Amino acid sequence: MDMKRNEVDRSKLSPGMKQYMEIKDEHPDELLFYRLGDFYELFFEDGILCSRELELTLTGKNAGLEERVPMCGVPFHSVKPYIEKLVSKGYKVAICEQLEDPKDAKGMVKRGVVQVVSKGTVVDYEMLNEYDNNYIASILKINGTYTITYSDISTGSLYILDVYDDKNKLIDTILNLNLKEIVLYDNEEFELIDLLRNTYGIDINICGNYLEDKYEYLYKDIKEMRYILGIKHLLYYLVVKELKELDHLEKVTIVNPLEYLEMDVHTVRNLELFETLRLKERTYSLIWLLDKTKTAMGSRMLKNWLANPLKDKDKITNRYDMIGKLREEFILKDELLNDLDQVYDLERLCGKTVCGNLNARDVLQIKRSLKVLPSILEKIKTLGFKYQFSDEHELYNLLEESIYEDPPIGLKEGYLIKDGYNKELDELKAIRSGGKDFIASLEEQERERTGIKTLKVGYTKVFGYYIEISKGQVKDVKDEYGYERRQTLTNCERFISPLLKEKEALILNAEEKIIELEYNLFMSIKEKIKKEIFTLKAIANDIAEIDAICSLATVADLYNLVRPEITDERIVDIEEGRHPVVERVSKNEYVANDCKMDKHTNTLLITGPNMSGKSTFMRQLAIIIIMAQMGSYVPAKKAILPIFDKIFTRIGASDDLVSGESTFMVEMMEARNAIANATSDSLILFDELGRGTATYDGMSLAQSILEYVNNDIGCKTLFSTHYHELTALEELKGIKNVHVEAYLKDGNVTFLHKVSPGAVDKSYGIHVAKLAGMPPKVLERAEEVLNYYESQDEKAPKRNSEQVSFDFDEPKQNNKVMDKLSEIDPLKVTPMDAINLLYELKELSKK
C-alpha cells in the first residue's frame, strides 16, 4: 500500500482518478481533500500520511490499475476537526469541491480547489484561539531593512513594521508578534529559515512574486515603495497560492515602534506577561489575571495593549479617566458588562463572511450581537465616552425577518429562511405541507377503502413514498385498488399507486425548489452583510476597546489597584507595591514593599539570600510600570512614575534558544543587549549578574557593568547580587543599597520578604540548604568548612560575605624586592649570577 503518485502509469487510470491527478499536480505541497459525494478522499502519499496523522483506516480504491490505490476518507459534514488537526501540525490543506450539481453534469462532475488552509490563513473562528491574533507575514529585505507586512485575515487587519538590519531584533519581533506563518521572497537566508522553522515551529513559505492590479485601495496612499512591495508580496501568496477573497482587508496601518514601550522577547518571557516560564501556559500569567473581558475581540485588544504599553501621557491618562468613571458608575458598568456578554466575535464573523464558509448559525450570531448595540450606545453616552457608532438597525431587522432561529449547519438542507420573508418560498412551503397533509390523510382513506388495518404510508430516499402491507394481509390486496408491487421484505410488501406518485412528484419537486431558493436567498442576505463589513468592523473595534477598559476597571476593583500618577521628573515612588499574580496565587499573606528612587538615585543594589524575594521585588517594579503604561491601575497603595521607553531584564536561568551557548554566554549576550540599547529613560533589571563564571571574574564583570550602567547610561536599574563586596559601591553617586530581610533564630532562617535600606550583614547559604532539606551530615560539614575559612580570614572576623574574599590592594611603602626585580634583565644573567640574585632576593624578603 505504499504506491507513489509519480510511479503510476496514468494511461491506465480511470477518468475520475485522472481528474484527481491533474488537480493534485497543481497542489503538490498541500494535502488534497478531494470531494466525492458525501466524503473528502485522500489518495497515494496524502492518504498514507493522513491515515497516520488522523488515526484513520487506510483502505484502497480501484482506479483502473492492477493494484488498489492507497486511500483514506473523512465525511464532509464533520471535516472541520480533521482539517484543524492537520493545520495545527503545520500541514497545508487544499479543499477540492464539486463545482456543479452531479444531477446537471454531462460526463465528469467539474471539480476544483476552492481554498487552501494553512496555519496563518485559518478564518474559521472555531478553529482559532480567541485570545490571540492569527498573523501571517511577508518579510522582505530591501536595502538592508527588513519590512514585515502582517495580517490576521480572520479579522481583516493589516500592518507594516520596519526592522533595521538586525537579525536578533527581527527574531524578537517575530516572536513577540507570535507570527504563525511567514512568506519569504527566496531561501537565501537559510540560517534564519532553519531557526524559525526548526526551533520556533513557524511555517515558512518561499514565494517570489507580487500581485498586480488587485486590492489597490490598500496601498494607493502609500509613498514608500518597500511598503507597497510588502503588501503585494503578501497578497500574491494569499490570493494566488491560497485562493483567498480579501475584500474585508483594511487599509494598512504603519506601526511606529517608538510610540510604545519596547520590551524584548526575554523581558516578555521573564515577566510572564502572556505565559508562565515553566509550563508555557496562560494560567498564572499577567494577561490571565487582567483579562476579565466579555468578548473575544476585547480579549485580543487587551492582549495588544499589554504587548504595546504606551508612551503618550495623554493617551495613558485618558484610559485612567475611563477606568475611574466606570468605577464610580459601578451599576452602569455591570449593566454594560451584561450587554457585552451578548456580543459574539463580530470581528472574525466579518472575516468569515468574506473569505470563509458563512452559515446561518454565524448570521444569527451577527444578529444577536447587533441586537444589544442600542443598549451599549446609550450607556456609553451616559458615561461620556467618545465612542460613536451606528446601531445597524436596518441590518438587524433584515436578519430578524429572514433567518430561521434554529437552522442546520449546512446551507443545502432547507430550514434557513423564515415564513413571510419571501412570497415564492411561502407558496412552495404551502405546496409541500399540503402534500404532506394529504399523504397523512391518504393512509386513513386507504385503510377504510381496503379494510386492511396494518396498511401504512412511508417514505425512503431511494423509493420515495410507498404503501406498506404486512405479509399476513397481502392476500387482501385486490386488483381494483390499483396497487403496483415495488419491494418484498421479510415481514411485509411495499406498493405504489398512481395517486401516490402524482402527489410525490409535487412534494419532492417543491422540496428541491425550496432548498435551492433558500440557498439563493441566504446568499443574497450574505451579500447585504458584505456591504456593511467595514461599518461592522469599526463597531467591533470600538466594542473591543470598551470591553478592554471594562476589564481593567473590574480588575482594579477585584484586586485593590490604584491610579498611578505620571510625572515628568525622573522619580519612582511606589508605596506598598505588590506583584499582582504572586499575591493572587501565594498561600501566605503577601508582603508589600516600597520602591523609592529619587531623581539622584539611578541604581538600587539589592542584597539578600536566595528565596528571600529579590526576583519578585524586581519583577513587580517592571509589572507596575507596564500596567501603568498600558493604561491600567496598579497594585500599590500609591505610585508616582515617569514614562519609560524600554525595559530590559536578565532574570533567572534563561531558557534562551541560542543553541549550544553556555548560561554565562547567554547572560552576557542579554546584558550586552541591554547596555547597547538602553537610554537614560529605560529600566534595567539585572538579577545576580556574573554568577555563571568564576567568582572573581563574575564579581569584576558585575562591578564594571554596574558602574557603566549607573555612570554612563544613567537609567533606573535594579541590580541584585550575592557578591557582597559590591555594596561598597554605594560611595558612587546614584547607587543605593537595599536588602531583603531574613530572621535567624536557633539556626533556623525565616524570610520576611521585606525590602529595607542598607546592605545585608549575613550570609544564609547554609540555612537555605537546611530549609531545602539537605542531609544533616552535609550541613554539619559545611559549617566546619565555613568556620575554617572564617578563622583563616583575619580581616573578616565577622561573617559578611557569601564569597571568599581577598585583599588585592597595592602595598603602601616602597618594596625593595620589587625594585631589585625590575632591574634584572633575564636574557643577560648567567646561571651563576642567577643563583647569587636568588640568594640576595631571599635576604631582602626577610627584611
Side-chain angles (χ1 to χ4, degrees), residues 343-359:
V343 178
Y344 289 82
D345 196 340
L346 254 186
E347 213 175 21
R348 282 189 167 152
L349 284 164
C350 288
K352 204 172 172 190
T353 303
V354 173
C355 61
N357 303 322
L358 191 79
N359 61 36

Side-chain angles (χ1 to χ4, degrees), residues 616-841:
T616 303
F617 176 68
M618 295 169 81
R619 283 190 172 102
Q620 94 189 16
L621 171 64
I623 282 172
I624 287 171
I625 288 164
I626 290 166
M627 284 174 70
Q629 286 184 224
M630 77 180 278
S632 167
Y633 282 20
V634 299
K637 189 177 176 185
K638 176 186 124 182
I640 301 171
L641 298 164
I643 286 177
F644 288 88
D645 63 355
K646 302 172 187 179
I647 295 181
F648 299 96
T649 61
R650 174 71 211 96
I651 298 179
S654 171
D655 61 342
D656 191 80
L657 298 149
V658 181
S659 49
E661 303 288 10
S662 68
T663 311
F664 182 63
M665 184 63 180
V666 172
E667 200 174 71
M668 286 300 109
M669 284 160 72
E670 288 182 21
R672 181 210 62 89
N673 180 37
I675 291 169
N677 294 302
T679 72
S680 58
D681 293 328
S682 303
L683 172 75
I684 295 181
L685 306 180
F686 278 153
D687 189 17
E688 303 203 354
L689 199 67
R691 63 182 160 184
T693 185
T695 303
Y696 300 116
D697 242 9
M699 193 169 76
S700 45
L701 270 166
Q703 178 167 338
S704 61
I705 289 171
L706 181 53
E707 287 173 3
Y708 181 83
V709 169
N710 184 69
N711 304 339
D712 295 46
I713 301 175
C715 61
K716 298 289 183 198
T717 306
L718 262 52
F719 198 108
S720 83
T721 186
H722 58 266
Y723 295 127
H724 196 269
E725 292 77 357
L726 295 183
T727 54
L729 291 173
E730 191 167 41
E731 295 158 12
L732 288 177
K733 187 170 174 252
I735 295 183
K736 199 166 100 182
N737 277 328
V738 294
H739 69 279
V740 189
E741 288 181 28
Y743 170 65
L744 192 61
K745 188 180 178 190
D746 304 333
N748 292 314
V749 67
T750 308
F751 300 118
L752 305 179
H753 300 295
K754 195 75 190 162
V755 177
S756 306
V760 75
D761 60 346
K762 260 192 178 4
S763 166
Y764 296 95
I766 292 174
H767 302 100
V768 173
K770 185 174 180 181
L771 270 186
M774 197 65 81
K777 191 172 177 183
V778 174
L779 296 171
E780 284 161 24
R781 177 66 183 141
E783 282 282 2
E784 281 173 31
V785 176
L786 184 66
N787 292 336
Y788 170 76
Y789 281 128
E790 284 182 337
S791 64
Q792 295 297 305
D793 189 357
E794 283 144 12
K795 292 198 173 160
K798 246 189 358 186
R799 184 162 101 210
N800 68 346
S801 166
E802 292 189 37
Q803 305 289 345
V804 184
S805 75
F806 296 98
D807 195 339
F808 282 133
D809 286 351
E810 291 291 330
K812 298 293 181 284
Q813 71 270 36
N814 290 343
N815 187 322
K816 290 174 181 169
V817 175
M818 298 303 278
D819 293 345
K820 186 72 186 168
L821 275 170
S822 64
E823 292 168 12
I824 297 167
D825 181 352
L827 299 173
K828 293 178 182 170
V829 177
T830 66
M832 195 61 207
D833 289 343
I835 291 168
N836 290 333
L837 277 168
L838 188 58
Y839 178 78
E840 202 177 324
L841 287 168

Side-chain angles (χ1 to χ4, degrees), residues 1-7 20 24 31 42-52 58 69-70:
M1 287 292 274
D2 58 351
M3 191 191 304
K4 295 196 165 40
R5 192 167 58 91
N6 57 3
E7 297 168 358
Y20 166 82
K24 178 67 189 170
L31 296 169
L42 298 110
F43 303 106
F44 299 105
E45 293 95 326
D46 286 6
I48 294 165
L49 187 145
C50 285
S51 73
R52 187 182 69 235
L58 185 68
V69 166

Side-chain angles (χ1 to χ4, degrees), residues 204-222:
I204 305 287
N205 306 284
I206 308 298
C207 169
N209 293 81
Y210 301 105
L211 187 74
E212 301 297 341
D213 310 325
K214 207 172 181 199
Y215 301 114
E216 285 168 344
Y217 74 92
L218 291 172
Y219 50 80
K220 70 171 193 289
D221 303 331
I222 295 178

